[in-house]
Amino acid sequence: MLTAAMSRHTTFRYCLDPTVEQLNSLARHAGAARFAFNRCLQLHLLARRAHKRQTAVPVPWTGFDLINAFNGWKKTAHAGRIITVDSSGSADVTATGLAWRNSVCQQVFEESAVDCGRALKAWTDSRRGKRTGPRIGHPRFKRKGRGLPSFRVRNKSPRKPTIRVGEGQRPRSVTVPGLGVIAVRDDTRRLRRLLGSGRANVLFATISQRAGRWWISINVEAADMHPAMQHAPRPQGDSGGWVGVDRGLSAFAVSAAGDGTACERFTDHPKPLTSGQRRQRYLARAVTRKEKGSHNRRKAAARLGKHHYHIANIRRHFLHKVSNQLVKTHDRLVIEDLNVRGMLCNRSLARAISDAGWAEFARQLAYKQQWRGGALVRAHRWYPSTKTCSTCGCARADLRLHERVFTCYTCGAALDRDLNAAINLATWAEQHSAQVRDPQAGGPVINAHRQSRSGRHLRVGETGLNDVGTDVRPASAI
């Protein structure tokens, strides 16, 4: 068997086709994962309260400590006991522990404890300012029917894997510890070839229920892609070949080179949320008309959930199609570092921006370019790619959103608005190619520059738009 260096992580997702007994077992494992998470969180809260009264009491914070705490609890009388009373009236208490703990895979309890530890760490890091992004709240107890039923099992031994794909005469099957062989609806040939040639190892598998079906996501550690599928390395000092990709709403994406050559223009965006808005209103109205807590309301909510899941699949398929075409064609791409979260505050464009999936598109471009040995950089947020003329470099401050043709007041050039922005992005990357990081490092090329008028003052060492020369001022008409 061939062996190769594992340097990338990818996931294969399949739709399960379980039997009636396996359906009950899947639901049992998902319930056990939810129970273990809630119990670990309760053990942590009880330890924190006891620690306030007596500081010698340890508090489990990490996943390893929570695993030990749960394993110690599940065998005590607090987890389960049997009380027997004889004829004389004396009672005898026998500690049985968690009686049903052997009916599910023990890894489900461990992984739920690890998830609880990660949630606690995210909360503490967010409070201390060590975690970027939105503020993370304290972990809450999971409730049946509210969250996503799911659980995770890990492949602990790569030499003797417990998670196997296509075993025996059933190529469309997956073997999961505690559940046995489960049939899948999709073709597993690609994953079986990777595992058979030694170019991938299974790390763990996550089983979840979405839109009334059970899905399995197998996370594998795979080797690099074949050299024929990777981009050829460019010579040192070569600053050309950059292609700018401008994301928009009328045209989903427009790519162009720095010399003004238009590459691709994707205008066939399906806009699934907008096209399915009428059916969504009908299904949502049907949910509100049902009595709360009734079976009919639960069925109506399931139909609405299937509709949302269908919309997400249409959007995801289109994003993968566009990102694959761009990554296979160009080895150097540059996009804008858009503040998508801030753009969603615009009530007139929030739905269209959410339907476009700009953030997910950028994420797909990043990891796919890294797999193929290409480069992806992000122009800083305040670079006026749309308002700058790609011919003379002059900027317009009065450019409105409805103007689809950019007309320069200085040189008189007139071209498509999105094409002009893509050309400017490619030019920006050629000028800043010396600052491009190693593709393995990832991340943006430079830090985003804050506007001088946003906030009270700039932080120490932070540059504004005036310092870098990207502040847009009205150009005098000639």
Side-chain angles (χ1 to χ4, degrees):
M1 180 181 296
L2 299 177
T3 57
M6 308 299 176
S7 60
R8 63 189 180 99
H9 292 78
T10 183
T11 303
F12 292 83
R13 191 179 66 161
Y14 305 110
C15 181
L16 298 178
D17 188 14
T19 61
V20 177
E21 293 79 5
Q22 291 174 343
L23 281 175
N24 298 331
S25 183
L26 289 172
R28 190 183 307 116
H29 279 72
R34 182 181 64 255
F35 173 83
F37 181 90
N38 293 339
R39 181 56 57 180
C40 290
L41 183 57
Q42 185 178 12
L43 292 174
H44 169 77
L45 295 177
L46 292 176
R48 282 168 57 182
R49 295 173 186 172
H51 183 77
K52 291 181 179 180
R53 297 189 298 267
Q54 188 177 0
T55 57
V57 177
V59 180
W61 286 93
T62 62
F64 182 78
D65 296 338
L66 290 172
I67 290 175
N68 293 334
F70 182 84
N71 289 338
W73 171 85
K74 70 181 182 180
K75 299 178 181 179
T76 61
H78 297 284
R81 59 186 181 272
I82 297 177
I83 303 176
T84 58
V85 181
D86 55 9
S87 58
S88 62
S90 60
D92 185 18
V93 180
T94 304
T96 60
L98 204 60
W100 52 269
R101 65 178 182 270
N102 294 327
S103 62
V104 296
C105 182
Q106 301 303 308
Q107 295 185 26
V108 175
F109 298 138
E110 299 176 1
E111 296 301 324
S112 298
V114 171
D115 292 341
C116 185
R118 291 175 179 173
L120 291 171
K121 186 178 185 303
W123 172 64
T124 55
D125 291 347
S126 180
R127 290 189 63 186
R128 297 172 183 174
K130 297 181 180 180
R131 181 186 177 94
T132 59
R135 187 173 181 179
I136 304 298
H138 191 275
R140 295 181 293 181
F141 292 100
K142 296 183 179 181
R143 181 179 174 182
K144 183 179 180 180
R146 290 291 183 89
L148 179 68
S150 65
F151 62 93
R152 185 172 64 251
V153 291
R154 192 169 294 276
N155 192 22
K156 294 186 176 181
S157 178
R159 295 184 179 180
K160 296 181 178 180
T162 57
I163 303 176
R164 300 180 293 273
V165 181
E167 193 176 31
Q169 301 297 326
R170 301 182 61 181
R172 294 194 177 188
S173 64
V174 177
T175 303
V176 182
L179 295 170
V181 181
I182 306 177
V184 299
R185 299 175 181 268
D186 308 301
D187 189 10
T188 61
R189 183 179 302 176
R190 292 181 58 190
L191 180 56
R192 286 189 285 111
R193 288 180 175 177
L194 285 175
L195 297 176
S197 61
R199 294 178 56 84
N201 294 325
V202 177
L203 299 179
F204 58 88
T206 303
I207 301 178
S208 58
Q209 186 182 27
R210 297 174 183 271
R213 292 186 177 182
W214 287 93
W215 302 79
I216 181 170
S217 299
I218 304 177
N219 187 283
V220 300
E221 185 182 20
D224 288 336
M225 301 183 71
H226 194 273
M229 302 180 65
Q230 296 185 11
H231 297 295
R234 288 182 174 267
Q236 188 177 3
D238 184 8
S239 60
W242 290 99
V243 174
V245 180
D246 179 72
R247 291 165 286 179
L249 296 178
S250 59
F252 176 76
V254 176
S255 62
D259 57 357
T261 304
C263 300
E264 294 95 359
R265 186 179 186 91
F266 302 94
T267 58
D268 56 341
H269 186 239
K271 299 180 180 180
L273 183 60
T274 304
S275 59
Q277 195 66 26
R278 183 177 180 180
R279 177 167 175 79
Q280 179 178 337
R281 291 195 186 101
Y282 170 77
L283 295 175
R285 195 179 300 114
V287 174
T288 58
R289 289 175 177 176
K290 303 297 187 295
E291 183 180 357
K292 292 185 178 181
S294 63
H295 290 284
N296 290 333
R297 186 183 180 93
R298 192 177 299 113
K299 294 178 182 178
R303 287 192 292 267
L304 179 61
K306 289 182 180 180
H307 174 73
H308 282 292
Y309 189 64
H310 180 65
I311 289 176
N313 288 336
I314 295 175
R315 184 186 301 113
R316 188 182 302 111
H317 174 75
F318 175 76
L319 295 179
H320 277 293
K321 183 180 70 173
V322 175
S323 60
N324 286 336
Q325 182 174 345
L326 289 174
V327 169
K328 292 179 181 179
T329 310
H330 311 289
D331 60 339
R332 288 183 172 182
L333 296 175
V334 53
I335 59 177
E336 290 180 295
D337 185 21
L338 299 177
N339 183 17
V340 180
R341 185 180 298 272
M343 292 180 179
L344 294 178
C345 297
N346 187 344
R347 57 182 300 179
S348 301
L349 300 176
R351 179 186 298 174
I353 294 175
S354 300
D355 199 8
W358 287 343
E360 174 65 17
F361 177 67
R363 187 192 70 87
Q364 293 181 8
L365 285 179
Y367 79 81
K368 290 179 181 180
Q369 276 287 64
Q370 184 177 357
W371 285 359
R372 294 183 177 271
L376 175 70
V377 298
R378 292 178 173 87
H380 60 79
R381 186 166 296 176
W382 305 113
Y383 175 65
S385 60
T386 305
K387 299 182 178 181
T388 303
C389 179
S390 59
T391 303
C392 64
C394 296
R396 281 186 53 186
D398 58 345
L399 185 64
R400 299 293 180 243
L401 186 61
H402 66 274
E403 299 182 34
R404 305 313 306 169
V405 177
F406 177 86
T407 304
C408 181
Y409 294 155
T410 303
C411 64
L415 70 162
D416 181 74
R417 175 197 186 105
D418 300 330
L419 178 61
N420 177 71
I423 297 174
N424 287 329
L425 290 174
T427 305
W428 181 91
E430 293 175 355
Q431 297 174 354
H432 297 77
S433 59
Q435 302 178 7
V436 175
R437 298 178 183 174
D438 186 5
Q440 299 294 335
V445 180
I446 60 176
N447 294 330
H449 302 289
R450 227 177 125 200
Q451 289 191 9
S452 303
R453 52 190 174 273
S454 61
R456 296 185 179 179
H457 55 273
L458 297 175
R459 292 187 293 268
V460 178
E462 187 177 8
T463 57
L465 301 181
N466 296 332
D467 302 328
V468 297
T470 58
D471 195 5
V472 179
R473 300 295 182 186
S476 58
I478 299 178

